[in-house]
Amino acid sequence: MDILKKIQSYREEEESLKWEGTFAEYLEMVKERPYLAQSAHSRVYNMIKHSGIEEENGKFNYKFFDNEIFGLEESMERLVEEYFHPAAKRLDVRKRILLLMGPVSGGKSTLVTLLKRGLERFSHTDEGAVYAIKGCPMHEEPLHLIPHHLREDFHDEYGIRVEGNLSPLNMMRLEKEYGSRIEDVIIERIFFSEDKRVGIGTFSPSDPKSQDIADLTGSIDFSTIAEFGSESDPRAYRFDGELNKANRGIMEFQEMLKCDEKFLWHLLSLTQEGNFKAGRFALISADEMIIAHTNESEYRSFIANKKNEALHSRMIVMPVPYNLRVAEEERIYEKMINQSDIKDVHIAPHTLKVAAMFTILTRLKETTKNNIDLLKKMRLYDGQTVEGFSDVDIEELKNEHHDEGMSGIDPRYVINRISSTIIKKEMTSINALDVLRSLKDGLSSHASISKEDRERYLNFISTARKEYDEIAKKEVQKAFVYSYEESAKTLMDNYLDNVEAYCNKAKLRDPLTGEELNPDEKLMRSIEEQIGISENAKKAFREEILIRISAYARKGKKFDYSSHERLREAIQKKLFADLKDVVKITTSTKTPDEQQLKKVNEVVATLIDEYGYNSTSANELLRYVGSLLNR
Ligand SMILES: Nc1ncnc2c1ncn2[C@@H]1O[C@H](COP(=O)(O)OP(=O)(O)O)[C@@H](O)[C@H]1O
Ligand SMILES: [Mg+2]
């Protein structure tokens, strides 16, 4: 479908969803579909629920955030279960301002934007449909038309509680335009849109001296006072502040604590009482979710000030820390790169992973648990298996520091470093070493890093570099083995046959000659030595493997190459050791002979075809590994 057709069909869809009718007709619909009268908080929660919820081991994953917010499942779960969900049920938390608190570039704005865009889409669905008094600048809830003295009866008949007062403007319109006939008031379906200022608002603090409360609550329209005769005529007032426009939906309050106090008090009244003061009118009822955000240092200085106690007690603070998982951090970078103008540059495999390792290390806090250094902790958080540690240990680690993830390097810094390097050097291809170098160079000019942290961060650069060295060597060695998985499997089967014969004091049979053979001690030792198993320990190791195999067999599981972490490592190292000289010589000769050249070309082709390199990055990798092996 071409774009013009899509535009047309979108317009047609919107056209077909439109609805307009009298209040009497609207009530008929509400009777059938009471959810049309839901509150803004309930609409937000239902929108999230609508995308699906997955449960795994008692933990909830809200699909609404998938593919946009990475690595923050626990924070999102807390946000939904401690705020959105109870607020939707009209519990008391909804009367508090939701304040997202987290480090810079940790995804707070992204999260709020996601909710806003989601709500825009949701208002186009049946479950998320919203209706309002037609012609009202605040898209007022139609049920406000029901007079107070009849609301109890309305509840008995419809099961719906109406909150809030009809606004002064609609009160006047009801009288003047409809002759007080409530049932005739025209109601229409509305569609949330930040661009059109319907149901979605944003407020960001500017210079406190010049910032006008009108930005929030609207202002008198002096040009029409003459026409209507008085400042207190609601028709002479423009209900066009962010609080007015966001009615029924969400208002984002950016960097809230940078704002002057007087703005905050308006919000408080709105969240607490469901109304706010505008101009000379009685309080105006509004129903909207206010989501504010701030960083930790501003939050700390805010609560340190005694004067703010009352305000503070009426906020609910939800931490939005940095992601702490390497794989998720990579996804964040991928997303950011895809949205940038460097998206066409080739990024060698493992580049973003290595950058992410560095970043995550800067965010982690040391543990007092034995035998866990930051690198191990990083692996455990990332979900990798580390021998001797289980999920219980991970939970314990996570509970050790409550402010973990509140500091460290942010994703934007990484992406900025990568792009500026690419642009400055006019690169078409970038690898892990380029990125580490650029991250390192940037540290000295990074304004908000203390000298102490800089030292630590430099160490993390070398840690990440060492990790990369291992990854690079493995990658090249793998590409050298004609069929890596096949060779590893053959070698392991061979080893296991020998171990079995050794433990059972049996002989092996030569498959070709049928001749009886003793177990091949030399072969077994050459593998075991790779992981430091001594002559004295070999028997126990071999027996342990046999026990593992029979345990697998009992459960009907197949014991294979990946069933035993240490054995796998031994096999891999053995394969690489056999290859080492070939790799070393081939990758480092300045004048390769014909056969070496052929091998190099083959390896480059494998790297390109199977591992995602391009010819520049593959050749760079070979050269680098050559230099590593010759050290
Ligand atoms: N956990 C995360 N998941 C997805 N993207 C993230 C995450 N953390 C940061 N980002 C990305 O980093 C950038 C900065 O995030 P932003 O939402 O502006 O942060 P904040 O408002 O907290 O300062 C954005 O491009 C955002 O997509
Ligand atoms: Mg932000």
Side-chain angles (χ1 to χ4, degrees), residues 68-70 72 104-110 332 335-336 411-412:
E68 294 288 344
I69 306 283
F70 300 116
L72 296 184
V104 55
S105 290
K108 301 181 295 296
S109 302
T110 308
I332 296 177
K335 180 185 83 171
M336 291 172 84
R412 197 165 263 153

Side-chain angles (χ1 to χ4, degrees), residues 129-183:
V130 194
Y131 292 80
I133 297 176
K134 190 175 178 181
C136 169
M138 284 181 67
H139 355 280
E140 185 160 16
E141 160 70 63
L143 296 182
H144 284 181
L145 286 164
I146 308 231
H148 277 276
H149 66 274
L150 293 177
R151 288 192 178 178
E152 208 46 53
D153 295 343
F154 181 76
H155 177 250
D156 290 344
E157 196 178 335
Y158 286 76
I160 295 170
R161 284 229 176 272
V162 182
E163 285 177 16
N165 305 320
L166 192 62
S167 73
L169 179 64
N170 285 325
M171 194 98 81
M172 180 175 257
R173 289 179 59 208
L174 176 62
E175 208 175 291
K176 297 212 149 82
E177 290 174 32
Y178 296 103
S180 297
R181 287 182 55 83
I182 291 172
E183 59 273 38

Side-chain angles (χ1 to χ4, degrees), residues 218-234:
S219 58
I220 294 168
D221 185 349
F222 288 102
S223 66
T224 52
I225 293 183
E227 187 186 333
F228 297 114
S230 147
E231 271 186 35
S232 51
D233 189 309

Side-chain angles (χ1 to χ4, degrees), residues 67-72 102-113 252 255 293-294 320-323 328-329 331-333 335-336 339 363 410-412 415:
N67 302 320
E68 294 288 344
I69 306 283
F70 300 116
L72 296 184
V104 55
S105 290
K108 301 181 295 296
S109 302
T110 308
L111 170 62
V112 182
T113 306
E252 173 184 13
E255 311 293 345
H293 42 93
T294 185
V320 181
Y322 286 137
N323 153 57
E328 301 294 325
E329 189 73 7
R331 297 179 70 192
I332 296 177
Y333 300 161
K335 180 185 83 171
M336 291 172 84
Q339 293 165 349
R363 296 173 186 170
D410 64 281
R412 197 165 263 153
I415 297 303

Side-chain angles (χ1 to χ4, degrees), residues 10-19 189 191:
Y10 184 79
R11 193 171 49 234
E12 281 167 6
E13 194 213 322
E14 200 156 71
E15 212 47 54
S16 76
L17 291 176
K18 278 194 178 146
W19 185 92
R189 180 164 180 186
F191 302 97

Side-chain angles (χ1 to χ4, degrees), residues 132-140 167 169-170 173 188 190 196-199 234-235 237-248 284:
I133 297 176
K134 190 175 178 181
C136 169
M138 284 181 67
H139 355 280
E140 185 160 16
S167 73
L169 179 64
N170 285 325
R173 289 179 59 208
E188 64 173 351
I190 58 168
K196 296 183 184 157
R197 306 193 70 211
V198 180
R235 289 168 301 177
Y237 193 86
R238 277 200 300 256
F239 294 90
D240 63 354
E242 292 303 322
L243 283 180
N244 307 115
K245 290 297 172 186
N247 188 27
R248 317 293 301 281
I284 294 179

Side-chain angles (χ1 to χ4, degrees), residues 330-342:
E330 272 186 85
R331 297 179 70 192
I332 296 177
Y333 300 161
E334 277 161 13
K335 180 185 83 171
M336 291 172 84
I337 288 171
N338 272 328
Q339 293 165 349
S340 76
D341 48 8
I342 54 165

Side-chain angles (χ1 to χ4, degrees), residues 35-269:
Y35 59 81
L36 293 180
Q38 69 188 321
S39 68
H41 288 81
S42 155
R43 195 172 293 114
V44 171
Y45 176 66
N46 282 326
M47 161 184 82
I48 293 171
K49 216 168 74 171
H50 194 66
S51 301
I53 306 175
E54 285 165 347
E55 198 195 330
E56 203 181 323
N57 306 326
K59 287 186 177 174
F60 292 104
N61 178 44
Y62 296 91
K63 292 172 75 168
F64 180 79
F65 305 106
D66 287 0
N67 302 320
E68 294 288 344
I69 306 283
F70 300 116
L72 296 184
E73 291 77 6
E74 280 155 38
S75 305
M76 293 307 107
E77 180 173 0
R78 186 164 165 206
L79 180 61
V80 176
E81 287 313 315
E82 290 180 22
Y83 188 78
F84 292 154
H85 193 179
K89 293 190 160 157
R90 297 184 187 247
L91 294 178
D92 220 46
V93 281
R94 120 190 118 113
K95 296 196 167 168
R96 295 208 255 157
I97 298 176
L98 173 61
L99 180 61
L100 305 174
M101 195 263 294
V104 55
S105 290
K108 301 181 295 296
S109 302
T110 308
L111 170 62
V112 182
T113 306
L114 187 63
L115 292 167
K116 289 177 174 177
R117 295 295 91 79
L119 215 49
E120 289 174 348
R121 279 193 312 277
F122 194 52
S123 72
H124 284 80
T125 66
D126 181 43
E127 295 85 345
V130 194
Y131 292 80
I133 297 176
K134 190 175 178 181
C136 169
M138 284 181 67
H139 355 280
E140 185 160 16
E141 160 70 63
L143 296 182
H144 284 181
L145 286 164
I146 308 231
H148 277 276
H149 66 274
L150 293 177
R151 288 192 178 178
E152 208 46 53
D153 295 343
F154 181 76
H155 177 250
D156 290 344
E157 196 178 335
Y158 286 76
I160 295 170
R161 284 229 176 272
V162 182
E163 285 177 16
N165 305 320
L166 192 62
S167 73
L169 179 64
N170 285 325
M171 194 98 81
M172 180 175 257
R173 289 179 59 208
L174 176 62
E175 208 175 291
K176 297 212 149 82
E177 290 174 32
Y178 296 103
S180 297
R181 287 182 55 83
I182 291 172
E183 59 273 38
D184 293 345
V185 174
I186 300 296
I187 308 300
E188 64 173 351
R189 180 164 180 186
I190 58 168
F191 302 97
F192 287 162
S193 157
E194 178 152 35
D195 294 342
K196 296 183 184 157
R197 306 193 70 211
V198 180
I200 312 276
T202 305
F203 186 81
S204 50
S206 54
D207 176 11
K209 281 190 215 69
S210 64
Q211 186 142 44
D212 192 345
I213 202 83
D215 296 348
L216 215 49
T217 59
S219 58
I220 294 168
D221 185 349
F222 288 102
S223 66
T224 52
I225 293 183
E227 187 186 333
F228 297 114
S230 147
E231 271 186 35
S232 51
D233 189 309
R235 289 168 301 177
Y237 193 86
R238 277 200 300 256
F239 294 90
D240 63 354
E242 292 303 322
L243 283 180
N244 307 115
K245 290 297 172 186
N247 188 27
R248 317 293 301 281
I250 289 185
M251 192 182 94
E252 173 184 13
F253 208 118
Q254 295 178 340
E255 311 293 345
M256 173 163 158
L257 301 181
K258 285 199 173 79
C259 213
D260 197 84
E261 258 177 65
K262 65 174 189 278
F263 293 83
L264 301 187
W265 286 107
H266 272 278
L267 294 192
L268 264 189
S269 141

